[in-house]
Amino acid sequence: VYAAPDGLMMLSSGGSSIITENLFSYKQWQQYFAPASIHAYAQNNQYIGFYDNGTTRGGFIFDVTSRQFILHDIYATAGYRDLQRDKLFLAFEDRSLKTWYEGSAKAYTWQSKKFTMPQIMGFSCAQLEAESYPMVLKVYADGVLIHSQTVTSRNPFRLPPKVGRDWELRIEGDREVFSVSL
């Protein structure tokens, strides 16, 4: 995997393909990531990249297995992958050196896409399964927050009797989420 002018390019025995073509247009990729600025490292079947577009510095992770593209606000100036210790070391502007995936988990907010139902409908309960708890789940119907819940276990919980056609979910936490269901 490498950063090409059109997006992330993956080379394999089956040929080459732009693996981010469904995520970013050419213009978006050029403006937001400035591909010439990207430096990246392979670790745990992930492509861990850092970019500086002149306005914003940040990073992203492309998971080769799940095909997930995850943006984050960490910017490293350099890195080194130690194959013998199976560790990725990153250098930062303050001259500190840190190991990827060591230390405390970073808090995040994840927003789902808008799910449009074939007709107006409601959901009676929800369930969020995660690596650990607490997590916060927010449920939106037709763009309005209808329920916010601090989830403390994998047990299902009730939702208020609201109906809508367009449904969205927002999860806030610092641990891996395995599934969320309405």
Side-chain angles (χ1 to χ4, degrees):
V1 176
Y2 67 94
D6 296 327
L8 283 184
M9 179 72 74
M10 179 181 271
L11 303 176
S12 69
S13 59
S16 63
S17 63
I18 300 170
I19 53 181
T20 54
E21 69 183 340
N22 293 329
L23 300 173
F24 307 103
S25 68
Y26 173 84
K27 185 177 179 182
Q28 290 170 325
W29 178 255
Q30 287 288 324
Q31 286 180 334
Y32 194 80
F33 296 103
S37 76
I38 294 174
H39 59 99
Y41 311 90
Q43 181 70 13
N44 299 331
N45 219 20
Q46 294 178 329
Y47 181 88
I48 301 165
F50 303 93
Y51 64 91
D52 179 354
N53 65 20
T55 305
T56 306
R57 288 177 158 185
F60 60 88
I61 302 167
F62 178 76
D63 188 299
V64 176
T65 305
S66 68
R67 302 262 176 179
Q68 275 190 307
F69 190 94
I70 303 161
L71 285 171
H72 58 76
D73 60 358
I74 299 168
Y75 180 75
T77 56
Y80 171 73
R81 181 171 178 216
D82 186 326
L83 295 174
Q84 289 182 329
R85 291 188 269 181
D86 192 27
K87 293 188 183 286
L88 173 59
F89 298 98
L90 298 173
F92 296 89
E93 281 188 321
D94 64 1
R95 302 182 66 94
S96 65
L97 184 67
K98 296 181 181 172
T99 306
W100 189 254
Y101 279 126
E102 290 186 6
S104 59
K106 189 166 175 63
Y108 66 87
T109 299
W110 175 83
Q111 175 79 31
S112 75
K113 69 176 188 175
K114 186 185 298 182
F115 294 94
T116 300
M117 301 297 134
Q119 61 212 18
I120 293 174
M121 62 185 303
F123 294 95
S124 62
C125 55
Q127 180 183 29
L128 186 141
E129 293 191 63
E131 180 181 27
S132 65
Y133 301 92
M135 303 286 283
V136 174
L137 175 65
K138 295 181 179 180
V139 181
Y140 296 82
D142 296 330
V144 176
L145 176 66
I146 64 160
H147 188 70
S148 180
Q149 172 99 16
T150 299
V151 182
T152 57
S153 73
R154 67 191 307 177
N155 295 331
F157 53 89
R158 302 290 290 171
L159 294 175
K162 303 286 183 180
V163 295
R165 182 138 190 223
D166 296 323
W167 291 83
E168 296 171 87
L169 304 173
R170 180 175 290 168
I171 299 172
E172 299 169 1
D174 63 359
R175 298 292 177 208
E176 183 176 358
V177 172
F178 304 121
S179 70
V180 61
S181 305
L182 296 183

mmCIF file of all heavy atoms in Angstrom, residues 41-78:
data_model
loop_
_atom_site.group_PDB
_atom_site.id
_atom_site.type_symbol
_atom_site.label_atom_id
_atom_site.label_comp_id
_atom_site.label_asym_id
_atom_site.label_seq_id
_atom_site.Cartn_x
_atom_site.Cartn_y
_atom_site.Cartn_z
ATOM 1 N N TYR A 41 3.498 3.773 7.728
ATOM 2 C CA TYR A 41 4.177 2.591 8.244
ATOM 3 C C TYR A 41 3.172 1.446 8.334
ATOM 4 O O TYR A 41 2.010 1.661 8.662
ATOM 5 C CB TYR A 41 4.763 2.887 9.640
ATOM 6 C CG TYR A 41 5.537 4.182 9.622
ATOM 7 C CD1 TYR A 41 4.910 5.392 9.915
ATOM 8 C CD2 TYR A 41 6.863 4.210 9.215
ATOM 9 C CE1 TYR A 41 5.587 6.590 9.844
ATOM 10 C CE2 TYR A 41 7.558 5.406 9.135
ATOM 11 C CZ TYR A 41 6.920 6.593 9.451
ATOM 12 O OH TYR A 41 7.596 7.779 9.355
ATOM 13 N N ALA A 42 3.635 0.234 8.050
ATOM 14 C CA ALA A 42 2.791 -0.949 8.159
ATOM 15 C C ALA A 42 2.965 -1.550 9.541
ATOM 16 O O ALA A 42 4.093 -1.747 10.000
ATOM 17 C CB ALA A 42 3.178 -1.971 7.098
ATOM 18 N N GLN A 43 1.847 -1.806 10.218
ATOM 19 C CA GLN A 43 1.896 -2.419 11.548
ATOM 20 C C GLN A 43 0.585 -3.142 11.795
ATOM 21 O O GLN A 43 -0.479 -2.561 11.636
ATOM 22 C CB GLN A 43 2.132 -1.350 12.623
ATOM 23 C CG GLN A 43 2.225 -1.854 14.034
ATOM 24 C CD GLN A 43 3.498 -2.652 14.293
ATOM 25 O OE1 GLN A 43 4.437 -2.639 13.508
ATOM 26 N NE2 GLN A 43 3.526 -3.361 15.396
ATOM 27 N N ASN A 44 0.656 -4.419 12.166
ATOM 28 C CA ASN A 44 -0.537 -5.219 12.503
ATOM 29 C C ASN A 44 -1.594 -5.189 11.399
ATOM 30 O O ASN A 44 -2.771 -4.989 11.661
ATOM 31 C CB ASN A 44 -1.141 -4.762 13.833
ATOM 32 C CG ASN A 44 -0.186 -4.931 14.988
ATOM 33 O OD1 ASN A 44 0.665 -5.817 14.971
ATOM 34 N ND2 ASN A 44 -0.304 -4.073 15.974
ATOM 35 N N ASN A 45 -1.164 -5.358 10.171
ATOM 36 C CA ASN A 45 -2.057 -5.387 9.009
ATOM 37 C C ASN A 45 -2.795 -4.068 8.815
ATOM 38 O O ASN A 45 -3.910 -4.026 8.318
ATOM 39 C CB ASN A 45 -3.039 -6.556 9.091
ATOM 40 C CG ASN A 45 -3.251 -7.194 7.740
ATOM 41 O OD1 ASN A 45 -2.441 -7.042 6.825
ATOM 42 N ND2 ASN A 45 -4.341 -7.920 7.594
ATOM 43 N N GLN A 46 -2.153 -2.983 9.253
ATOM 44 C CA GLN A 46 -2.708 -1.652 9.074
ATOM 45 C C GLN A 46 -1.672 -0.747 8.415
ATOM 46 O O GLN A 46 -0.473 -0.917 8.615
ATOM 47 C CB GLN A 46 -3.103 -1.042 10.425
ATOM 48 C CG GLN A 46 -4.230 -1.771 11.102
ATOM 49 C CD GLN A 46 -4.562 -1.186 12.459
ATOM 50 O OE1 GLN A 46 -3.702 -0.667 13.143
ATOM 51 N NE2 GLN A 46 -5.830 -1.281 12.838
ATOM 52 N N TYR A 47 -2.168 0.191 7.631
ATOM 53 C CA TYR A 47 -1.348 1.232 7.016
ATOM 54 C C TYR A 47 -1.583 2.476 7.857
ATOM 55 O O TYR A 47 -2.679 3.026 7.868
ATOM 56 C CB TYR A 47 -1.803 1.429 5.567
ATOM 57 C CG TYR A 47 -1.047 2.455 4.787
ATOM 58 C CD1 TYR A 47 0.113 2.113 4.100
ATOM 59 C CD2 TYR A 47 -1.507 3.766 4.693
ATOM 60 C CE1 TYR A 47 0.796 3.056 3.339
ATOM 61 C CE2 TYR A 47 -0.833 4.709 3.938
ATOM 62 C CZ TYR A 47 0.321 4.344 3.264
ATOM 63 O OH TYR A 47 0.995 5.273 2.511
ATOM 64 N N ILE A 48 -0.563 2.900 8.601
ATOM 65 C CA ILE A 48 -0.685 4.024 9.527
ATOM 66 C C ILE A 48 0.022 5.213 8.899
ATOM 67 O O ILE A 48 1.246 5.214 8.762
ATOM 68 C CB ILE A 48 -0.090 3.666 10.901
ATOM 69 C CG1 ILE A 48 -0.838 2.448 11.453
ATOM 70 C CG2 ILE A 48 -0.178 4.846 11.844
ATOM 71 C CD1 ILE A 48 -0.164 1.761 12.602
ATOM 72 N N GLY A 49 -0.770 6.204 8.458
ATOM 73 C CA GLY A 49 -0.229 7.337 7.720
ATOM 74 C C GLY A 49 -0.371 8.651 8.462
ATOM 75 O O GLY A 49 -1.265 8.824 9.291
ATOM 76 N N PHE A 50 0.528 9.578 8.131
ATOM 77 C CA PHE A 50 0.516 10.925 8.696
ATOM 78 C C PHE A 50 0.647 11.915 7.552
ATOM 79 O O PHE A 50 1.389 11.657 6.598
ATOM 80 C CB PHE A 50 1.659 11.088 9.705
ATOM 81 C CG PHE A 50 1.596 10.077 10.809
ATOM 82 C CD1 PHE A 50 2.288 8.884 10.715
ATOM 83 C CD2 PHE A 50 0.806 10.314 11.926
ATOM 84 C CE1 PHE A 50 2.204 7.931 11.719
ATOM 85 C CE2 PHE A 50 0.719 9.367 12.935
ATOM 86 C CZ PHE A 50 1.420 8.179 12.834
ATOM 87 N N TYR A 51 -0.062 13.029 7.625
ATOM 88 C CA TYR A 51 -0.076 13.995 6.524
ATOM 89 C C TYR A 51 0.004 15.418 7.067
ATOM 90 O O TYR A 51 -0.308 15.696 8.219
ATOM 91 C CB TYR A 51 -1.342 13.840 5.671
ATOM 92 C CG TYR A 51 -2.598 14.153 6.444
ATOM 93 C CD1 TYR A 51 -3.123 15.453 6.449
ATOM 94 C CD2 TYR A 51 -3.247 13.177 7.171
ATOM 95 C CE1 TYR A 51 -4.257 15.755 7.177
ATOM 96 C CE2 TYR A 51 -4.385 13.479 7.900
ATOM 97 C CZ TYR A 51 -4.879 14.761 7.906
ATOM 98 O OH TYR A 51 -6.000 15.066 8.626
ATOM 99 N N ASP A 52 0.431 16.324 6.190
ATOM 100 C CA ASP A 52 0.481 17.757 6.489
ATOM 101 C C ASP A 52 0.080 18.469 5.204
ATOM 102 O O ASP A 52 0.853 18.533 4.251
ATOM 103 C CB ASP A 52 1.900 18.149 6.910
ATOM 104 C CG ASP A 52 2.032 19.639 7.216
ATOM 105 O OD1 ASP A 52 1.060 20.398 7.000
ATOM 106 O OD2 ASP A 52 3.119 20.036 7.664
ATOM 107 N N ASN A 53 -1.149 18.991 5.165
ATOM 108 C CA ASN A 53 -1.633 19.621 3.936
ATOM 109 C C ASN A 53 -1.356 21.120 3.887
ATOM 110 O O ASN A 53 -1.880 21.831 3.040
ATOM 111 C CB ASN A 53 -3.130 19.340 3.719
ATOM 112 C CG ASN A 53 -4.014 19.961 4.778
ATOM 113 O OD1 ASN A 53 -3.618 20.884 5.480
ATOM 114 N ND2 ASN A 53 -5.226 19.444 4.891
ATOM 115 N N GLY A 54 -0.539 21.610 4.819
ATOM 116 C CA GLY A 54 -0.227 23.026 4.869
ATOM 117 C C GLY A 54 -1.124 23.792 5.825
ATOM 118 O O GLY A 54 -0.759 24.839 6.327
ATOM 119 N N THR A 55 -2.301 23.267 6.089
ATOM 120 C CA THR A 55 -3.243 23.871 7.024
ATOM 121 C C THR A 55 -3.479 22.951 8.216
ATOM 122 O O THR A 55 -3.529 23.387 9.346
ATOM 123 C CB THR A 55 -4.607 24.136 6.330
ATOM 124 O OG1 THR A 55 -4.378 24.917 5.163
ATOM 125 C CG2 THR A 55 -5.565 24.856 7.247
ATOM 126 N N THR A 56 -3.639 21.675 7.921
ATOM 127 C CA THR A 56 -3.956 20.677 8.937
ATOM 128 C C THR A 56 -2.913 19.579 8.937
ATOM 129 O O THR A 56 -2.490 19.121 7.873
ATOM 130 C CB THR A 56 -5.340 20.043 8.657
ATOM 131 O OG1 THR A 56 -6.306 21.081 8.550
ATOM 132 C CG2 THR A 56 -5.749 19.081 9.750
ATOM 133 N N ARG A 57 -2.535 19.151 10.128
ATOM 134 C CA ARG A 57 -1.678 17.983 10.291
ATOM 135 C C ARG A 57 -2.487 16.929 11.020
ATOM 136 O O ARG A 57 -3.239 17.249 11.939
ATOM 137 C CB ARG A 57 -0.449 18.320 11.137
ATOM 138 C CG ARG A 57 0.541 19.178 10.443
ATOM 139 C CD ARG A 57 1.652 19.488 11.408
ATOM 140 N NE ARG A 57 2.848 19.848 10.679
ATOM 141 C CZ ARG A 57 4.004 20.083 11.244
ATOM 142 N NH1 ARG A 57 4.132 19.993 12.561
ATOM 143 N NH2 ARG A 57 5.046 20.405 10.532
ATOM 144 N N GLY A 58 -2.330 15.706 10.621
ATOM 145 C CA GLY A 58 -3.068 14.640 11.276
ATOM 146 C C GLY A 58 -2.616 13.293 10.777
ATOM 147 O O GLY A 58 -1.528 13.154 10.211
ATOM 148 N N GLY A 59 -3.471 12.327 10.973
ATOM 149 C CA GLY A 59 -3.131 10.979 10.554
ATOM 150 C C GLY A 59 -4.364 10.171 10.230
ATOM 151 O O GLY A 59 -5.494 10.611 10.409
ATOM 152 N N PHE A 60 -4.102 8.974 9.743
ATOM 153 C CA PHE A 60 -5.180 8.049 9.434
ATOM 154 C C PHE A 60 -4.654 6.629 9.538
ATOM 155 O O PHE A 60 -3.447 6.383 9.509
ATOM 156 C CB PHE A 60 -5.765 8.307 8.038
ATOM 157 C CG PHE A 60 -4.768 8.174 6.924
ATOM 158 C CD1 PHE A 60 -4.521 6.948 6.319
ATOM 159 C CD2 PHE A 60 -4.064 9.279 6.462
ATOM 160 C CE1 PHE A 60 -3.605 6.829 5.290
ATOM 161 C CE2 PHE A 60 -3.149 9.173 5.432
ATOM 162 C CZ PHE A 60 -2.921 7.937 4.838
ATOM 163 N N ILE A 61 -5.586 5.722 9.679
ATOM 164 C CA ILE A 61 -5.268 4.295 9.704
ATOM 165 C C ILE A 61 -6.140 3.638 8.650
ATOM 166 O O ILE A 61 -7.353 3.842 8.624
ATOM 167 C CB ILE A 61 -5.583 3.676 11.081
ATOM 168 C CG1 ILE A 61 -4.814 4.394 12.178
ATOM 169 C CG2 ILE A 61 -5.283 2.181 11.076
ATOM 170 C CD1 ILE A 61 -5.301 4.065 13.581
ATOM 171 N N PHE A 62 -5.522 2.867 7.777
ATOM 172 C CA PHE A 62 -6.296 2.042 6.857
ATOM 173 C C PHE A 62 -6.068 0.598 7.262
ATOM 174 O O PHE A 62 -4.946 0.105 7.237
ATOM 175 C CB PHE A 62 -5.885 2.249 5.398
ATOM 176 C CG PHE A 62 -6.665 1.362 4.464
ATOM 177 C CD1 PHE A 62 -7.972 1.663 4.153
ATOM 178 C CD2 PHE A 62 -6.104 0.213 3.954
ATOM 179 C CE1 PHE A 62 -8.718 0.831 3.324
ATOM 180 C CE2 PHE A 62 -6.831 -0.629 3.120
ATOM 181 C CZ PHE A 62 -8.140 -0.310 2.811
ATOM 182 N N ASP A 63 -7.136 -0.069 7.700
ATOM 183 C CA ASP A 63 -7.055 -1.472 8.091
ATOM 184 C C ASP A 63 -7.241 -2.316 6.837
ATOM 185 O O ASP A 63 -8.305 -2.291 6.218
ATOM 186 C CB ASP A 63 -8.127 -1.793 9.126
ATOM 187 C CG ASP A 63 -7.959 -3.176 9.708
ATOM 188 O OD1 ASP A 63 -8.026 -4.161 8.943
ATOM 189 O OD2 ASP A 63 -7.750 -3.275 10.927
ATOM 190 N N VAL A 64 -6.216 -3.040 6.465
ATOM 191 C CA VAL A 64 -6.232 -3.814 5.220
ATOM 192 C C VAL A 64 -7.275 -4.920 5.277
ATOM 193 O O VAL A 64 -7.925 -5.219 4.275
ATOM 194 C CB VAL A 64 -4.821 -4.385 4.927
ATOM 195 C CG1 VAL A 64 -4.827 -5.262 3.697
ATOM 196 C CG2 VAL A 64 -3.812 -3.253 4.771
ATOM 197 N N THR A 65 -7.481 -5.522 6.442
ATOM 198 C CA THR A 65 -8.428 -6.625 6.567
ATOM 199 C C THR A 65 -9.874 -6.152 6.489
ATOM 200 O O THR A 65 -10.657 -6.663 5.696
ATOM 201 C CB THR A 65 -8.201 -7.375 7.899
ATOM 202 O OG1 THR A 65 -6.838 -7.784 7.961
ATOM 203 C CG2 THR A 65 -9.094 -8.592 7.998
ATOM 204 N N SER A 66 -10.246 -5.161 7.301
ATOM 205 C CA SER A 66 -11.638 -4.710 7.353
ATOM 206 C C SER A 66 -11.954 -3.630 6.327
ATOM 207 O O SER A 66 -13.101 -3.288 6.119
ATOM 208 C CB SER A 66 -11.966 -4.171 8.750
ATOM 209 O OG SER A 66 -11.256 -2.969 8.991
ATOM 210 N N ARG A 67 -10.894 -3.046 5.720
ATOM 211 C CA ARG A 67 -11.027 -1.943 4.759
ATOM 212 C C ARG A 67 -11.581 -0.670 5.401
ATOM 213 O O ARG A 67 -12.158 0.175 4.734
ATOM 214 C CB ARG A 67 -11.883 -2.340 3.559
ATOM 215 C CG ARG A 67 -11.364 -3.536 2.803
ATOM 216 C CD ARG A 67 -10.620 -3.094 1.640
ATOM 217 N NE ARG A 67 -10.030 -4.224 0.928
ATOM 218 C CZ ARG A 67 -9.340 -4.078 -0.160
ATOM 219 N NH1 ARG A 67 -9.172 -2.901 -0.663
ATOM 220 N NH2 ARG A 67 -8.791 -5.105 -0.741
ATOM 221 N N GLN A 68 -11.426 -0.529 6.708
ATOM 222 C CA GLN A 68 -11.849 0.683 7.403
ATOM 223 C C GLN A 68 -10.793 1.760 7.249
ATOM 224 O O GLN A 68 -9.598 1.484 7.330
ATOM 225 C CB GLN A 68 -12.035 0.415 8.893
ATOM 226 C CG GLN A 68 -13.369 -0.140 9.269
ATOM 227 C CD GLN A 68 -13.510 -0.139 10.777
ATOM 228 O OE1 GLN A 68 -12.665 -0.651 11.489
ATOM 229 N NE2 GLN A 68 -14.589 0.438 11.257
ATOM 230 N N PHE A 69 -11.245 2.985 7.062
ATOM 231 C CA PHE A 69 -10.370 4.151 6.992
ATOM 232 C C PHE A 69 -10.729 5.033 8.170
ATOM 233 O O PHE A 69 -11.849 5.528 8.265
ATOM 234 C CB PHE A 69 -10.582 4.898 5.665
ATOM 235 C CG PHE A 69 -9.564 5.966 5.407
ATOM 236 C CD1 PHE A 69 -8.436 5.685 4.669
ATOM 237 C CD2 PHE A 69 -9.728 7.242 5.908
ATOM 238 C CE1 PHE A 69 -7.476 6.667 4.417
ATOM 239 C CE2 PHE A 69 -8.793 8.237 5.671
ATOM 240 C CZ PHE A 69 -7.662 7.940 4.912
ATOM 241 N N ILE A 70 -9.788 5.231 9.091
ATOM 242 C CA ILE A 70 -10.052 5.944 10.330
ATOM 243 C C ILE A 70 -9.164 7.179 10.403
ATOM 244 O O ILE A 70 -7.937 7.077 10.338
ATOM 245 C CB ILE A 70 -9.773 5.042 11.547
ATOM 246 C CG1 ILE A 70 -10.618 3.769 11.463
ATOM 247 C CG2 ILE A 70 -10.020 5.792 12.853
ATOM 248 C CD1 ILE A 70 -10.121 2.649 12.326
ATOM 249 N N LEU A 71 -9.770 8.345 10.523
ATOM 250 C CA LEU A 71 -9.023 9.601 10.691
ATOM 251 C C LEU A 71 -8.746 9.847 12.166
ATOM 252 O O LEU A 71 -9.554 9.495 13.017
ATOM 253 C CB LEU A 71 -9.835 10.775 10.159
ATOM 254 C CG LEU A 71 -9.924 10.928 8.654
ATOM 255 C CD1 LEU A 71 -10.942 11.988 8.292
ATOM 256 C CD2 LEU A 71 -8.575 11.280 8.081
ATOM 257 N N HIS A 72 -7.607 10.468 12.466
ATOM 258 C CA HIS A 72 -7.304 10.884 13.826
ATOM 259 C C HIS A 72 -6.481 12.165 13.784
ATOM 260 O O HIS A 72 -6.055 12.602 12.718
ATOM 261 C CB HIS A 72 -6.601 9.777 14.622
ATOM 262 C CG HIS A 72 -5.322 9.305 14.027
ATOM 263 N ND1 HIS A 72 -4.146 10.024 14.103
ATOM 264 C CD2 HIS A 72 -5.021 8.188 13.338
ATOM 265 C CE1 HIS A 72 -3.180 9.357 13.496
ATOM 266 N NE2 HIS A 72 -3.681 8.257 13.018
ATOM 267 N N ASP A 73 -6.264 12.769 14.951
ATOM 268 C CA ASP A 73 -5.575 14.057 14.996
ATOM 269 C C ASP A 73 -4.127 13.955 15.487
ATOM 270 O O ASP A 73 -3.516 14.946 15.838
ATOM 271 C CB ASP A 73 -6.348 15.050 15.860
ATOM 272 C CG ASP A 73 -6.509 14.581 17.295
ATOM 273 O OD1 ASP A 73 -6.053 13.469 17.632
ATOM 274 O OD2 ASP A 73 -7.093 15.325 18.089
ATOM 275 N N ILE A 74 -3.571 12.767 15.485
ATOM 276 C CA ILE A 74 -2.174 12.575 15.901
ATOM 277 C C ILE A 74 -1.280 12.834 14.686
ATOM 278 O O ILE A 74 -1.561 12.346 13.591
ATOM 279 C CB ILE A 74 -1.949 11.144 16.424
ATOM 280 C CG1 ILE A 74 -2.833 10.881 17.633
ATOM 281 C CG2 ILE A 74 -0.480 10.905 16.751
ATOM 282 C CD1 ILE A 74 -2.895 9.429 18.052
ATOM 283 N N TYR A 75 -0.213 13.598 14.881
ATOM 284 C CA TYR A 75 0.743 13.823 13.797
ATOM 285 C C TYR A 75 2.151 13.506 14.293
ATOM 286 O O TYR A 75 2.633 14.130 15.239
ATOM 287 C CB TYR A 75 0.701 15.260 13.272
ATOM 288 C CG TYR A 75 1.699 15.470 12.163
ATOM 289 C CD1 TYR A 75 1.451 14.971 10.894
ATOM 290 C CD2 TYR A 75 2.908 16.118 12.388
ATOM 291 C CE1 TYR A 75 2.377 15.128 9.876
ATOM 292 C CE2 TYR A 75 3.836 16.282 11.373
ATOM 293 C CZ TYR A 75 3.565 15.773 10.120
ATOM 294 O OH TYR A 75 4.475 15.918 9.115
ATOM 295 N N ALA A 76 2.772 12.539 13.677
ATOM 296 C CA ALA A 76 4.156 12.184 13.981
ATOM 297 C C ALA A 76 5.032 12.720 12.858
ATOM 298 O O ALA A 76 4.634 12.718 11.686
ATOM 299 C CB ALA A 76 4.309 10.669 14.086
ATOM 300 N N THR A 77 6.219 13.164 13.208
ATOM 301 C CA THR A 77 7.139 13.702 12.201
ATOM 302 C C THR A 77 7.956 12.605 11.531
ATOM 303 O O THR A 77 8.433 12.785 10.418
ATOM 304 C CB THR A 77 8.092 14.730 12.824
ATOM 305 O OG1 THR A 77 8.782 14.122 13.917
ATOM 306 C CG2 THR A 77 7.325 15.952 13.317
ATOM 307 N N ALA A 78 8.116 11.458 12.212
ATOM 308 C CA ALA A 78 8.885 10.338 11.649
ATOM 309 C C ALA A 78 8.507 9.068 12.393
ATOM 310 O O ALA A 78 7.884 9.106 13.449
ATOM 311 C CB ALA A 78 10.383 10.600 11.784
#
